[in-house]
Amino acid sequence: MATTPRREEIGAFMTLEQFILDRQEQFPHSTGSFSRLIRDLSVAAKIVNWNMRRAGIVDVFGATGEVNVQGEVQQKMDLMAHTEFVRALRRGGECCLIGSEEHSEAIPMRTDADIATDGKYIVLMDPLDGSSNIEVNVSVGTIFSIYRLPDHVREATLAEALQPGVDQVGAGYVVYGSSTMLVYSTGFGVNGFTLDPSIGEFLLTHPNIRTPVDGKVYSINEGHYNSFEPGLKKYIKWMQREDAATSRPYTTRYIGSFVSDFHRNLLKGGLYIYPATESAAEGKLRLMYEANPMAYIVEQAGGAASDGRGRILEKIPRALHQRTPLYIGSARMVERAEAFLRGDLDLEP
Ligand code: AHG
Ligand code: MN
Ligand code: MN
């Protein structure tokens, strides 16, 4: 029989609200604006979570065979998540511009009809990551990246959103898995909160997350193997070789839902790769709202993120939806990947 957690068990964890307030008190000059932005994002995450938990039921009711349910449900969920995050940020008033995977242009929050809005933050996001996994009940996520509008700028435009990843003031993700977690960083380590559905609160269950420096798991869509560059092919072969001293062969784990693959590797150690391929020279993932925020988080947790040649966070962005190859996870695994790509490491004979 399922047991309801006792009050004192819930009480052992700090709520996200409390955590935000405690942090804010450490900065006496803080206006609370950033704290409110995080709160707005967490509220949207709860709403999206709620809708997601009902997805199967809605799906069953909608699946009468008249339309391509698969495509439509996916689109609906992507759009639902996008709409809820935009709505929460607009209502909260701390955000001046949103960039979203689900919208081709940057979305300004200040409109003529809404001149009271004076938000200072730019939020770039992937509202629903891994959405093709929803219909088979696999974990999906939300990713967000936060920049500050430079003080001298009054009107936020796309130009202000195109800041390099090192200039992020915060980043996070939500994973809607067997439980729902919000993980975020504001440059002082990484903290993870699990949603307790019985009280509707995110609770601090994973304080100060540190990722292992090395790992034995790699996550890549190996179906594209033939179109990988030679250095990457060698690195994969190296990971597959038997060698007791280095605990090889390694293990492959690929969910196909970046947030979920990243989250597992962050906690357990490992490397996620979405490389350049012959048909996609820049890979698949997006720099501004997939690679940069996760690179910020992984570095804050002691890991690393590279495009195979250099640090993700230092890439100078050109466009909101630009793509980048991505090697992200345990620092030693990323370093080794770069060494293989450069040709500094080779397979033992
Ligand atoms: P999204 O659902 O936001 O478009 O992202 C899908 C991404 C990512 O979540 C995943 O890791 C990757 O696509 C999987 O791509 P492949 O199917 O090419 O492996
Ligand atoms: Mn995505
Ligand atoms: Mn998406």
Side-chain angles (χ1 to χ4, degrees):
M1 196 176 77
T3 53
T4 314
R6 298 198 316 271
R7 265 293 129 196
E8 51 274 32
E9 282 170 357
I10 294 171
F13 297 108
M14 184 188 278
T15 64
L16 173 64
E17 196 102 354
Q18 187 62 49
F19 180 85
I20 292 173
L21 286 171
D22 280 9
R23 284 278 163 117
Q24 198 185 312
E25 280 166 13
Q26 293 166 18
F27 301 93
H29 302 297
S30 148
T31 60
S33 157
F34 188 78
S35 303
R36 287 192 292 274
L37 182 80
I38 299 291
R39 184 210 49 204
D40 298 340
L41 288 164
S42 76
V43 168
K46 285 188 211 175
I47 298 171
V48 170
N49 174 68
W50 173 247
N51 287 331
M52 205 81 71
R53 298 289 169 209
R54 296 174 59 244
I57 300 162
V58 174
D59 207 351
V60 169
F61 287 143
T64 50
E66 286 158 33
V67 282
N68 178 350
V69 175
Q70 190 173 314
E72 189 173 322
V73 169
Q74 256 176 268
Q75 276 181 12
K76 267 199 231 163
M77 283 297 164
D78 283 329
L79 195 62
M80 177 278 292
H82 167 87
T83 308
E84 294 301 345
F85 274 92
V86 171
R87 190 179 286 160
L89 290 170
R90 196 184 284 283
R91 194 172 46 218
E94 306 300 343
C95 175
C96 54
L97 191 83
I98 296 176
S100 164
E101 185 189 10
E102 301 307 324
H103 207 272
S104 55
E105 313 293 330
I107 309 165
M109 291 287 103
R110 292 180 203 175
T111 61
D112 291 342
D114 184 24
I115 40 172
T117 309
D118 198 23
K120 288 273 176 284
Y121 295 100
I122 296 165
V123 176
L124 308 181
M125 63 179 177
D126 178 353
L128 203 55
D129 173 70
S131 49
S132 66
N133 279 321
I134 289 181
E135 73 221 29
V136 289
N137 219 339
V138 170
S139 304
V140 293
T142 294
I143 311 174
F144 58 87
S145 160
I146 307 170
Y147 293 94
R148 214 183 134 79
L149 180 68
D151 282 337
H152 60 276
V153 181
R154 277 200 52 77
E155 221 50 45
T157 66
L158 178 60
E160 282 72 47
L162 296 181
Q163 302 181 39
V166 277
D167 291 336
Q168 288 171 102
V169 293
Y173 64 88
V174 185
V175 52
Y176 311 95
S178 40
S179 65
T180 295
M181 270 191 82
L182 169 68
V183 177
Y184 82 99
S185 174
T186 55
F188 302 93
V190 182
N191 290 283
F193 301 80
T194 304
L195 182 64
D196 182 336
S198 68
I199 55 170
E201 295 273 4
F202 280 107
L203 302 176
L204 179 61
T205 48
H206 296 63
N208 195 22
I209 296 172
R210 304 294 300 166
T211 196
V213 240
D214 211 344
K216 293 172 185 44
V217 168
Y218 68 99
S219 315
I220 187 169
N221 185 341
E222 232 164 314
H224 298 298
Y225 183 85
N226 287 332
S227 71
F228 294 162
E229 58 186 293
L232 176 56
K233 284 181 174 166
K234 284 183 186 170
Y235 183 39
I236 291 174
K237 286 289 156 226
W238 183 87
M239 292 191 281
Q240 293 171 344
R241 284 255 174 106
E242 267 187 48
D243 176 52
T246 52
S247 305
R248 284 180 286 156
Y250 288 179
T251 290
T252 311
R253 288 282 181 272
Y254 190 74
I255 298 171
S257 194
F258 176 42
V259 170
S260 314
D261 279 310
F262 176 88
H263 182 66
R264 182 203 50 244
N265 292 353
L266 182 76
L267 298 184
K268 305 240 178 201
L271 174 67
Y272 177 95
I273 304 174
Y274 210 109
T277 58
E278 267 160 29
S279 58
E282 294 297 312
K284 177 182 184 188
L285 299 189
R286 319 286 183 136
L287 175 65
M288 301 308 287
Y289 44 80
E290 290 182 314
N292 267 340
M294 296 308 223
Y296 183 87
I297 290 168
V298 87
E299 285 199 6
Q300 281 292 318
S306 163
D307 66 0
R309 304 285 181 273
R311 191 177 170 213
I312 287 287
L313 293 181
E314 288 175 21
K315 284 178 86 104
I316 305 297
R318 291 173 277 103
L320 181 56
H321 300 289
Q322 96 182 59
R323 297 174 197 269
T324 178
L326 182 62
Y327 295 73
I328 189 166
S330 294
R332 291 227 178 95
M333 296 183 84
V334 175
E335 278 162 27
R336 215 176 283 122
E338 285 181 328
F340 268 100
L341 293 174
R342 278 195 307 270
D344 289 353
L345 277 178
D346 211 331
L347 282 169
E348 306 95 346

